[in-house]
């Protein structure tokens, strides 16, 4: 039986990856931070039903800032695959917490790579790299050969994590891969990220629980896909004979304003009545345009994004309407199928 270890298992990507791997018969181990409150909402349905479903899911307390803890966990579970998704992943917050972001999102990767070497385990390693590394883009679209130009502490930390992964691959012959993932969303996206902030606010506005939505730069353009598609690309990278680096993207770009228009128009509402611009949500340095060239992943991994922009927005709107107790059918939208976790 293959055994996977996932950092960031409680996040959007971690939860979808967990479901994906369990369906393939993996034993899955996840790293979770100790907290005074529960922070496992996205995987609770898996953990709760594991005795009925037979899902082999195990959670371990730890932190990416604690090297000895990471070393001990890897020695004990001896994973055949490691998916390193954990990070301080909010770009705007990284300007307020640059040192913490560098330590967790950057140096945390080194701690795991060192733990692999020190524990002597034989494993394959996946590093969650980011399209934010391209920053002030040097080419359109962006591919594996496009130079990085990071524009935030988060992006700088991710550039370090990218290159330390390449360095360990070449220096120690590790099976280590970087997935340069462009923006990927879902109904499980964190509520402070702009796409989920939009769909959640829309549902609350319709439920009469919120009056206005405050946003920053509406002109920023992003390449948005569905996280469920992207976790499959992660897995495919670790099934290759050797480690490598891949861009994972849809090849389309849309602005925040387009996302707004699409979401609000689905329920027959004009966003202009409810949206206000707030300077506090502007970044000190902005990334204006991201669009990925995933031809290498399509060619070598046989991977391609399946969920398009409009369908992604629809899925998120429907899920948030349902979370507020609203029937999507009243707005001409198909509800989430029964028994399906959005």
């Amino acid at each position: 039986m293959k055994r996977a270890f996932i950092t960031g298992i409680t996040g959007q990507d971690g939860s979808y990856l967990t479901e994906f791997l369990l369906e393939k018969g993996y034993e899955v181990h996840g790293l979770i931070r100790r907290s005074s409150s529960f922070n496992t909402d996205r995987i609770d349905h898996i953990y709760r039903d594991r005795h009925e479903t037979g899902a082999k899911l195990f959670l371990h307390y730890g932190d990416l800032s604690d090297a000895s803890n990471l070393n001990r966990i890897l020695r004990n579970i001896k994973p055949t695959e490691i998916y390193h998704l954990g990070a301080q992943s909010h770009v705007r917050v990284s300007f307020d917490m640059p040192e913490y972001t560098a330590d967790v999102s950057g140096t945390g990767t080194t701690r795991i790579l060192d733990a692999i070497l020190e524990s002597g385990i034989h494993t394959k390693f996946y590093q969650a790299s980011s399209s934010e590394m391209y920053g002030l883009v040097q080419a359109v679209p962006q591919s594996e050969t496009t130079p990085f130009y990071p524009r935030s502490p988060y992006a700088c930390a991710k550039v370090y994590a990218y290159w330390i992964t390449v360095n360990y691959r070449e220096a120690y012959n590790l099976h280590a891969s970087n997935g340069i993932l462009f923006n990927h969303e879902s109904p499980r996206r964190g509520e402070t990220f702009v796409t989920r902030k939009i769909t959640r606010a829309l549902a609350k506005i319709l439920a009469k629980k919120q009056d206005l939505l405050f946003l920053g730069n509406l002109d920023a353009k992003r390449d948005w896909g569905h996280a469920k598609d992207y976790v499959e690309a992660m897995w495919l990278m670790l099934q290759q004979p050797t480690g490598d680096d891949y861009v994972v993207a849809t090849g389309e770009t849309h602005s925040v304003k387009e996302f707004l228009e699409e979401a609000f128009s689905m329920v027959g509402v004009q966003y202009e009545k409810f949206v206000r611009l707030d300077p506090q949500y502007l970044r000190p340095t902005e990334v204006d345009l991201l669009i990925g060239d995933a031809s290498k992943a399509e060619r070598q991994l046989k991977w391609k994004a399946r969920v398009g922009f409009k369908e992604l927005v629809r899925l998120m709107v429907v899920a948030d309407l349902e979370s507020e107790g609203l029937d999507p059918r009243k707005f001409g939208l198909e509800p989430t199928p029964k028994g399906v976790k959005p």
Side-chain angles (χ1 to χ4, degrees), residues 169-230:
R169 178 172 71 213
E170 295 176 351
Y172 304 109
N173 198 31
L174 291 181
H175 191 300
S177 295
N178 280 294
I180 308 173
L181 272 57
F182 280 63
N183 292 65
H184 45 291
E185 321 298 311
S186 75
R188 301 182 195 177
R189 188 58 147 149
E191 295 168 359
T192 59
F193 290 85
V194 67
T195 53
R196 184 74 196 290
K197 187 177 179 180
I198 290 169
T199 59
R200 188 166 179 263
L202 173 58
K204 286 185 173 296
I205 288 168
L206 292 171
K208 309 299 183 184
K209 296 179 181 179
Q210 184 170 329
D211 298 321
L212 296 173
L213 167 60
F214 294 93
L215 295 172
N217 182 9
L218 300 188
D219 296 322
K221 294 182 177 180
R222 295 292 184 267
D223 184 326
W224 277 308
H226 196 298
K228 206 167 188 178
D229 288 345
Y230 286 36

Side-chain angles (χ1 to χ4, degrees), residues 209-273:
K209 296 179 181 179
Q210 184 170 329
D211 298 321
L212 296 173
L213 167 60
F214 294 93
L215 295 172
N217 182 9
L218 300 188
D219 296 322
K221 294 182 177 180
R222 295 292 184 267
D223 184 326
W224 277 308
H226 196 298
K228 206 167 188 178
D229 288 345
Y230 286 36
V231 300
E232 181 183 15
M234 300 176 189
W235 176 77
L236 286 169
M237 290 178 208
L238 298 198
Q239 311 316 304
Q240 304 307 302
T242 57
D244 205 344
D245 309 315
Y246 301 89
V247 164
V248 179
T250 69
E252 293 183 12
T253 189
H254 298 273
S255 67
V256 174
K257 183 179 179 181
E258 286 179 81
F259 195 102
L260 262 176
E261 290 173 336
E262 185 67 26
F264 276 70
S265 66
M266 281 185 177
V267 295
V269 176
Q270 291 183 317
Y271 80 85
E272 292 90 346
K273 294 181 179 179

Side-chain angles (χ1 to χ4, degrees), residues 138-151:
Q138 304 299 292
V140 178
Q142 297 88 50
S143 72
E144 294 81 4
T145 60
T146 303
F148 300 137
Y149 196 133
R151 298 266 282 174

Side-chain angles (χ1 to χ4, degrees), residues 266-314:
M266 281 185 177
V267 295
V269 176
Q270 291 183 317
Y271 80 85
E272 292 90 346
K273 294 181 179 179
F274 302 97
V275 174
R276 301 291 183 270
L277 301 184
D278 189 334
Q280 72 168 319
Y281 296 117
L282 296 174
R283 303 179 187 178
T285 48
E286 183 58 83
V287 174
D288 297 315
L289 169 64
L290 292 175
I291 178 170
D293 174 3
S295 56
K296 180 179 177 181
E298 294 176 14
R299 184 174 64 254
Q300 295 187 15
L301 304 179
K302 310 304 180 190
W303 177 91
K304 192 173 179 63
R306 292 185 291 270
V307 179
F309 177 72
K310 290 180 181 293
E311 176 63 4
L312 172 64
V313 178
R314 188 194 70 80

Side-chain angles (χ1 to χ4, degrees), residues 187 314-323 327-329 333-342:
R314 188 194 70 80
L315 289 169
M316 295 180 68
V317 168
V318 166
D320 277 324
L321 288 174
E322 292 172 338
S323 71
D327 187 349
R329 287 171 294 192
L333 299 171
E334 285 296 315
T336 303
K338 287 185 178 180
V340 173
K341 172 71 174 175

